[in-house]
Amino acid sequence: MENVQTPPKQIVDVLDQYIVGQNEAKKAVAVALRNRYRRMQLSPQMQEEISPKNLLMIGPTGVGKTEIARRLAKIVNAPPFVKVEATKFTEVGYVGGDVESMVRDLVENAVQLEKQAAYKRVNADAVKQANNELLKLLVPAKKKENNQNDMQNIMNMFSAMQKGETPDINAGQQEELTDDIREKRLSTSDKLRAGLLENEMVEIEVPDPSQSNVGNNNMLNQMGIDLNDSLAGIMPKKMITRTVSVAEARDVLTRQAAETLVNSADLYHDAIENAQNSGIIFIDEIDKITGGSSQSRGEVSREGVQRDILPIVEGSQINTKYGTVNTDHILFIASGAFAESKPSDLIPELQGRFPIRVELNDLTKEDFVRILTEPNNALVKQYIALIGTDNIKVTFTIEAINKIAEIATDVNHNTDNIGARRLHTILEKLLEDILYEGPDMQMGEITITEKYVDDKVGQLAQNKDLSRYIL
């Protein structure tokens, strides 16, 4: 599953493998994704007229809103996708997150996607260059001074810096290849191609990771300016030497070679186009910025945050370090529990920008049973696999599964309803002794029965005071 050309039914089928129920929400998301592809098949004039139908998912915590977004990001790994928390933003004029950063994050994601695609296209040439560099590292030759004067070397270094490349400090030197060196390199080249030198150690130079955030300034970042990129044009990157295997060195050198083979200007242009026409921004916890949320009282004006978000959702021009982005056709999916507020507490203008609303239902005991057993990443399967690493085979009876689901339902009903997240707490408490003693048991088989569940967590669940704090 790679892009929005995938039919809605197939998107729902994939979501069904990880998320129980909530069919209405799955269908709405799948249709919204498909409409992205449909729009791109129309004439340019018609494309401009069709705006995305943004979604608002409403439902209690732990029923699958965030999980739908998380799985969606993996299903549609071709369109740029970012997930943000509405609570991290503050109104303009206050210290905190700038709402425009969500668009810049989306473009950053689009750039990375374009880089992956571009590097893949030039991979063959990049690997060839990397292997040539590996030969020089494995069979080094003596250096000899060339006939270039110092001024020419300085000009070459300055030219490389202007292009954003790391200048070659050895530019004024050439290799002195003797017949012996040539013969050794031919022999080593054959071994490289045969994969016989993958574990040999070599020294390579890589950019210093500690310099990646030097000069970062929050105010500049909010203006779409990256000080690191600006400095890169006037001064070389700081390099460090690492000793790595040939296999790892090839990956690093291939990446470095690919960067020189790709046209960055074209890459950034394509990334912005992709973000504008196919980008998806998922805004979680949007209910926390409503006037009706008790969490917002006494804090920075949440209505101000809504008003800052509004022009971005409506369509505006946002400056990024890669260029200006138009948000007219970005798809926005928002979600919130709305436990202490309701969608109508959002400012009317923002409500109108999310015309499609879907409500996710509370989870029942039957849903919990399915969550524990059916999905590809079912919790029971996860714990069986984890404990299995200690050579212990754990089996759950169906009665035990039903009991766990019953306890989760009761605790959610009697305390705070946190949905499927309650299962994590109950299973961790249920299996804590096995997880603790497992490494010392060496091997064995354990069956989790209904009685075992009742003994370990059943009594806790019946005691409201204890269940409130422990489960």
Side-chain angles (χ1 to χ4, degrees):
M1 183 108 22
E2 293 184 351
N3 50 49
V4 289
Q5 298 181 33
T6 307
K9 286 185 178 180
Q10 288 187 29
I11 295 175
V12 172
D13 287 344
V14 175
L15 290 174
D16 283 341
Q17 296 175 23
Y18 301 96
I19 304 164
V20 169
Q22 315 303 358
N23 293 327
E24 184 181 353
K26 293 175 186 174
K27 287 180 181 178
V29 167
V31 170
L33 289 178
R34 180 64 180 186
N35 282 343
R36 312 287 282 154
Y37 169 72
R38 289 170 173 145
R39 172 180 168 269
M40 298 306 294
Q41 309 310 304
L42 303 175
S43 65
Q45 294 81 5
M46 185 62 74
Q47 286 183 31
E48 286 299 316
E49 296 300 322
I50 296 178
S51 59
K53 303 301 183 287
N54 299 322
L55 281 79
L56 177 61
M57 294 196 292
I58 307 163
T61 184
V63 298
K65 302 186 301 297
T66 303
E67 186 66 10
I68 287 176
R70 193 166 73 90
R71 293 296 165 185
L72 195 64
K74 294 183 178 181
I75 292 172
V76 291
N77 59 5
F81 182 103
V82 294
K83 174 183 174 294
V84 298
E85 308 291 332
T87 51
K88 83 172 186 178
F89 300 124
T90 60
E91 185 178 1
V92 169
Y94 291 85
V95 175
D98 172 4
V99 295
E100 291 184 358
S101 65
M102 70 173 93
V103 179
R104 286 191 280 272
D105 289 345
L106 183 73
V107 175
E108 192 67 49
N109 179 265
V111 169
Q112 295 307 314
L113 291 173
E114 288 295 335
K115 280 185 177 180
Q116 292 173 15
Y119 291 171
K120 191 174 181 179
R121 290 193 294 269
V122 300
N123 185 67
D125 290 335
V127 170
K128 185 177 179 180
Q129 288 189 23
N131 283 331
N132 288 337
E133 288 299 316
L134 281 172
L135 276 178
K136 296 178 183 179
L137 295 172
L138 290 166
V139 188
K142 290 183 178 180
K143 300 291 183 179
K144 67 175 182 179
E145 295 296 329
N146 64 16
N147 294 325
Q148 288 189 126
N149 57 38
D150 291 340
M151 181 57 69
Q152 183 63 48
N153 293 333
I154 292 173
M155 294 299 293
N156 290 340
M157 292 176 67
F158 184 73
S159 176
M161 286 159 43
Q162 283 187 316
K163 297 176 183 177
E165 301 172 356
T166 302
D168 184 1
I169 61 174
N170 296 317
Q173 297 178 325
Q174 290 182 339
E175 288 189 324
E176 186 175 352
L177 293 177
T178 63
D179 291 340
D180 184 49
I181 294 296
R182 288 192 180 91
E183 186 176 338
K184 284 184 178 179
R185 285 189 176 178
L186 284 173
S187 174
T188 303
S189 178
D190 292 337
K191 291 178 181 179
L192 267 178
R193 285 195 297 269
L196 301 177
L197 303 175
E198 298 300 282
N199 296 323
E200 292 287 322
M201 305 304 289
V202 294
E203 288 188 351
I204 60 172
E205 286 192 338
V206 297
D208 186 352
S210 66
Q211 299 297 307
S212 59
N213 293 318
V214 173
N216 270 1
N217 180 283
N218 190 52
M219 183 64 69
L220 290 176
N221 287 339
Q222 291 185 5
M223 295 169 60
I225 300 172
D226 190 320
L227 194 56
N228 289 319
D229 283 356
S230 301
L231 292 174
I234 58 175
M235 60 188 300
K237 295 179 182 177
K238 182 179 178 181
M239 307 295 284
I240 59 174
T241 301
R242 290 185 58 202
T243 301
V244 297
S245 68
V246 165
E248 185 176 351
R250 183 185 291 107
D251 291 338
V252 174
L253 294 172
T254 298
R255 175 87 177 187
Q256 292 176 355
E259 290 176 356
T260 64
L261 294 170
V262 171
N263 186 315
S264 295
D266 291 342
L267 188 149
Y268 297 154
H269 174 271
D270 292 343
I272 288 176
E273 286 292 313
N274 196 14
Q276 290 180 154
N277 292 302
S278 303
I280 303 170
I281 296 179
F282 184 93
I283 307 175
D284 203 5
E285 297 188 348
I286 197 170
D287 58 311
K288 301 300 189 299
I289 60 171
T290 63
S293 172
S294 63
Q295 297 187 32
S296 69
R297 298 189 187 113
E299 298 180 9
V300 175
S301 169
R302 295 307 185 188
E303 183 173 315
V305 176
Q306 294 183 55
R307 295 197 180 280
D308 289 344
I309 291 176
L310 179 61
I312 296 176
V313 179
E314 285 183 330
S316 57
Q317 304 283 330
I318 305 296
N319 291 325
T320 77
K321 64 181 182 180
Y322 302 107
T324 303
V325 178
N326 189 318
T327 67
D328 283 348
H329 299 290
I330 292 174
L331 174 65
F332 291 87
I333 303 175
S335 78
F338 291 97
E340 300 176 354
S341 60
K342 50 189 182 297
S344 58
D345 289 328
L346 293 167
I347 59 174
E349 299 92 334
L350 192 58
Q351 289 181 51
R353 300 307 299 179
F354 290 89
I356 301 177
R357 299 184 183 181
V358 290
E359 187 169 355
L360 285 79
N361 304 315
D362 284 337
L363 298 173
T364 64
K365 174 188 172 182
E366 290 71 26
D367 290 330
F368 283 139
V369 171
R370 293 182 60 199
I371 290 170
L372 287 168
T373 58
E374 290 185 9
N376 288 352
N377 64 329
L379 280 175
V380 167
K381 297 176 184 176
Q382 292 180 29
Y383 278 100
I384 289 174
L386 281 172
I387 297 171
T389 61
D390 293 325
N391 294 317
I392 300 172
K393 181 180 180 181
V394 176
T395 304
F396 287 77
T397 66
I398 187 60
E399 292 80 13
I401 297 292
N402 282 317
K403 187 65 177 178
I404 294 169
E406 180 184 324
I407 292 172
T409 305
D410 290 343
V411 176
N412 273 347
H413 178 73
N414 294 325
T415 60
D416 294 324
N417 185 359
I418 60 172
R421 294 187 177 93
R422 186 73 65 188
L423 294 172
H424 290 265
T425 307
I426 291 174
L427 279 170
E428 196 68 26
K429 187 67 180 176
L430 174 68
L431 301 171
E432 66 177 350
D433 289 341
I434 300 174
L435 290 166
Y436 180 75
E437 300 286 350
D440 299 322
M441 295 173 65
Q442 300 302 321
M443 59 190 307
E445 295 186 11
I446 298 175
T447 300
I448 306 298
T449 63
E450 182 179 3
K451 184 179 185 307
Y452 186 92
V453 175
D454 198 45
D455 290 343
K456 291 292 296 181
V457 295
Q459 302 302 319
L460 285 175
Q462 292 175 15
N463 188 318
K464 292 186 179 180
D465 291 333
L466 287 176
S467 65
R468 184 177 298 276
Y469 291 103
I470 300 175
L471 297 179

